[in-house]
Amino acid sequence: MSDVASDAIKFGPENAAHRSLYHALGLTEEEMSRPLVGIVSSYNEIVPGHINLDKITEAVRLGVAMAGGTPIVFPAIAVCDGIAMGHIGMKYSLVTRDLIADSTEAMALAHGFDALVMIPNCDKNVPGLLMAAARVNVPTVFVSGGPMMAGRVHGAKTSLSSMFEAQGSYTAGKMSADDLEDYARRVCPTCGSCSGMYTANSMNCLTEVVGMGLPGNGTIPAVYSRRIELAKRAGMQVMEMLKRGIRARDIMTRDALMNALTVDMALGCSTNTMLHLPAIAHECGVDLSLDVANEISERTPNLCHLAPAGRTYMEDLDEAGGVAAVMAELDKRGLINRDCMTVTGATVGENISRARNLDPETIRPVEEPYSETGGIAVLKGNLAPEGSVVKRSAVAPEMLVHEGPARVFDSEEEAQEAINAGKINAGDVVVIRYEGPKGGPGMREMLNPTSAIMGMGLGESVALITDGRFSGATRGACIGHVSPEAASGGVIGLVEEGDIISIDIPNYKLELKVDDAELERRRASHEPKVRELSGYLKRYAAQVSSGATGAIINS
């Protein structure tokens, strides 16, 4: 396998200087003669989902070497959204997606790698590396670190969303300090991405669906030996892709992305997928607007209620047959494009042909879904003319249609203070603005306020609307990504205390019950608030697009 792209910078008298630097790395002539495979390792010692990635990286290295390649590791950053939650750290979560994409593109193209294996796990790390894969467009395989096992508290399975809600219960006087500490010690028992269908696991599952990860990538728990086996096979498989000339954008086609959006609806994934799938599509040269989401949702049944929507977890989904079993159920209705190529070298149809649903409680049969419509809905109206997003599979039935007075806050901190002080009442619609891509900046997740509302027992009577976003761990009538955002002059910036807001999720409507003339009067005297910024956040705020278009960086 000597005829590889990197040969152009490795051999010949004109590349003697390059060879001297390869020798400085300790590479032998035999290693230089083989394809150079970049292994993008997101290992670090602060993110629980990444602390095991050193073992995944070593397994990938072995797989690449066994298949005749020369593995070379370089790093990618990652933020733990849970640790960053509720303070300035969350402003730096979404923005890392673009840092990861940019830096990985730079490393891969500057060093002439013939192929790549991406090793992500948590939140923005996964879409950032998918964006980079599309840009670099060489044979690429993804293998994640895998999900965390569910915790056990008082004999019941639990997860990080329960922990945040426990904090709300403690604040409301419904839980003792000792019980709160017991939760803290038990809800996250292993390494891995947090155990519910939160953003990290949503994106890892969709990476498998879109064809960039081997079967099992989305669901095999981090602590299982099968995860190490999968990593070795990923290293071997990238070499097979290189032989066959299968590149990233050969796999990440429009049809593959539509498969991802379809399975997203069936799984009940995090609303953050509505930011990441359009951004990934953009890098692939595919237009994937929010407008298509409701169309797909209308024909796609919701088959899974994993935490926080229900009481099953990623380990249960894995035991039930994993992502392939979900796709096989959807395929019974002809909802999956079977012809899409995948990193296995086979088509989607071939990959799922032997998949079986082994647990109809975890994965509902397509004939008996939780609902005939998908887990995510995009709402529009005068309050969100460009759109807003809600995880309707995690909304209590009585809150699918709701009307109530606005309680208006210009930051997450202001809202959290009011919630903790008991100032939010049943029926209220909490509005948190100036937390969008530009206004935050960085579109912070609102897990603290939504969890506090749940923990105080208000989840079936209070709604929350924001131009920011939500953690995948959020449940309830929580509507995010309201666009245009307040900082860009959106109507959400004109809402006043006590205004009536109408939410109609089944009919995809979000309305502010204020007439146009009054809104124009308010707009005439309104100046959007501007935050004082510096450093990377200042550059990001100046360049980022609307949440409705994936919060991509405008070039």
Side-chain angles (χ1 to χ4, degrees):
M1 196 183 295
S2 59
D3 184 20
V4 293
S6 63
D7 286 359
I9 61 172
K10 291 186 295 191
F11 301 118
E14 69 278 13
N15 291 316
H18 294 116
R19 286 196 298 282
S20 71
L21 293 167
Y22 287 130
H23 283 303
L25 296 172
L27 295 186
T28 64
E29 284 83 358
E30 290 84 359
E31 287 174 302
M32 279 188 256
S33 71
R34 298 169 181 168
L36 302 183
V37 179
I39 300 176
V40 188
S41 174
S42 303
Y43 168 76
N44 63 51
E45 294 184 343
I46 188 62
V47 183
H50 289 231
I51 198 167
N52 65 318
L53 296 190
D54 55 343
K55 296 177 178 62
I56 301 295
T57 300
E58 286 306 308
V60 171
R61 282 171 59 94
L62 184 58
V64 169
M66 285 193 296
T70 297
I72 301 175
V73 178
F74 64 91
I77 64 169
V79 164
C80 176
D81 278 19
I83 293 174
M85 195 72 65
H87 58 96
I88 192 174
M90 184 45 68
K91 293 179 184 288
Y92 285 91
S93 173
L94 179 61
V95 305
T96 64
R97 186 186 70 183
D98 296 276
L99 283 174
I100 291 163
D102 292 348
S103 58
T104 303
E105 172 195 359
M107 286 292 288
L109 295 179
H111 298 104
F113 288 108
D114 298 299
L116 297 168
V117 180
M118 306 289 200
I119 308 177
N121 209 26
C122 290
D123 291 48
K124 315 313 166 292
N125 185 243
V126 185
L129 289 179
L130 284 166
M131 291 162 68
R135 293 182 194 176
V136 178
N137 197 31
V138 297
T140 305
V141 177
F142 275 66
V143 56
S144 77
M148 183 184 291
M149 300 297 288
R152 300 286 197 286
V153 179
H154 304 312
K157 286 185 179 181
T158 189
S159 61
L160 185 65
S161 53
S162 302
M163 185 69 248
F164 277 92
E165 290 179 17
Q167 290 179 184
S169 295
Y170 172 76
T171 301
K174 297 181 177 182
M175 179 179 285
S176 70
D178 286 345
D179 280 346
L180 183 66
E181 188 59 27
D182 193 42
Y183 263 78
R185 291 183 179 278
R186 295 175 183 272
V187 297
C188 296
T190 72
C191 63
S193 48
C194 295
S195 57
M197 188 53 78
Y198 311 144
T199 304
N201 291 325
S202 296
M203 289 308 305
N204 281 320
C205 286
L206 297 186
T207 298
E208 183 179 334
V209 175
V210 85
M212 291 297 288
L214 294 172
N217 182 62
T219 60
I220 297 172
V223 295
Y224 282 13
S225 298
R226 280 195 293 136
R227 178 62 59 177
I228 300 297
E229 292 179 28
L230 187 76
K232 291 176 185 175
R233 295 196 181 282
M236 291 187 280
Q237 191 59 34
V238 81
M239 297 303 296
E240 181 64 24
M241 292 176 67
L242 184 58
K243 286 180 186 177
R244 295 180 56 178
I246 301 172
R247 297 170 179 260
R249 288 206 298 268
D250 296 332
I251 293 171
M252 290 193 286
T253 62
R254 179 174 180 80
D255 285 341
L257 289 162
M258 294 297 279
N259 276 348
L261 193 51
T262 298
V263 178
D264 186 339
M265 296 296 175
L267 284 171
C269 290
S270 164
T271 52
N272 283 312
T273 59
M274 294 294 101
L275 285 174
H276 301 322
L277 287 176
I280 295 161
H282 175 75
E283 299 295 347
C284 296
V286 173
D287 180 25
L288 189 67
S289 72
L290 287 183
D291 293 334
V292 76
N294 289 340
E295 176 188 334
I296 291 177
S297 181
E298 282 295 326
R299 64 173 183 257
T300 306
N302 177 225
L303 305 182
C304 299
H305 268 191
L306 285 90
R311 295 182 179 180
T312 51
Y313 297 83
M314 294 305 296
E315 64 204 59
D316 301 311
L317 180 59
D318 185 63
E319 291 173 9
V323 172
V326 176
M327 296 178 75
E329 288 288 350
L330 295 172
D331 190 46
K332 293 176 183 178
R333 287 196 185 177
L335 296 172
I336 295 294
N337 188 313
R338 299 171 55 87
D339 297 328
C340 295
M341 178 55 65
T342 74
V343 294
T344 66
T347 64
V348 166
E350 291 168 326
N351 286 347
I352 67 174
S353 62
R354 290 193 285 179
R356 298 291 179 271
N357 182 354
L358 303 176
D359 181 1
E361 292 302 311
T362 298
I363 304 171
R364 287 279 184 92
V366 74
E367 300 84 4
E368 300 176 31
Y370 282 102
S371 66
E372 287 292 342
T373 52
I376 290 177
V378 174
L379 313 185
K380 288 190 174 182
N382 68 342
L383 189 50
E386 293 177 2
S388 61
V389 181
V390 62
K391 186 172 181 174
R392 66 172 159 192
S393 60
V395 178
E398 54 267 48
M399 290 298 291
L400 289 170
V401 177
H402 179 75
E403 194 169 283
R407 304 298 306 281
V408 183
F409 306 96
D410 287 344
S411 70
E412 177 188 3
E413 288 83 359
E414 288 182 15
Q416 189 69 48
E417 183 179 349
I419 295 166
N420 290 346
K423 295 180 179 178
I424 303 302
N425 304 307
D428 287 348
V429 179
V430 176
V431 177
I432 306 177
R433 60 194 182 190
Y434 293 104
E435 292 286 7
K438 289 181 182 293
M443 211 175 184
R444 285 195 289 182
E445 292 182 344
M446 301 293 148
L447 182 56
N448 274 351
T450 61
S451 297
I453 287 168
M454 279 291 174
M456 290 177 172
L458 296 171
E460 296 177 356
S461 60
V462 170
L464 192 150
I465 294 172
T466 181
D467 52 9
R469 60 195 178 91
F470 298 112
S471 165
T474 285
R475 63 189 177 103
C478 301
I479 300 163
H481 309 195
V482 171
S483 301
E485 62 177 292
S488 295
V491 172
I492 190 172
L494 305 179
V495 180
E496 294 182 357
E497 189 81 6
D499 286 348
I500 300 301
I501 292 175
S502 173
I503 300 164
D504 186 347
I505 294 173
N507 289 303
Y508 307 114
K509 294 289 186 183
L510 180 62
E511 295 282 346
L512 177 65
K513 297 292 189 176
V514 174
D515 64 46
D516 291 343
E518 172 60 15
L519 288 177
E520 284 306 310
R521 185 192 68 76
R522 293 181 189 181
R523 191 181 298 279
S525 60
H526 176 70
E527 279 292 329
K529 294 187 176 183
V530 178
R531 299 189 195 279
E532 289 293 323
L533 300 171
S534 62
Y536 180 55
L537 291 182
K538 184 175 183 178
R539 297 197 302 276
Y540 181 87
Q543 295 178 301
V544 70
S545 75
S546 165
T549 55
I552 61 174
I553 296 297
N554 293 310
S555 57

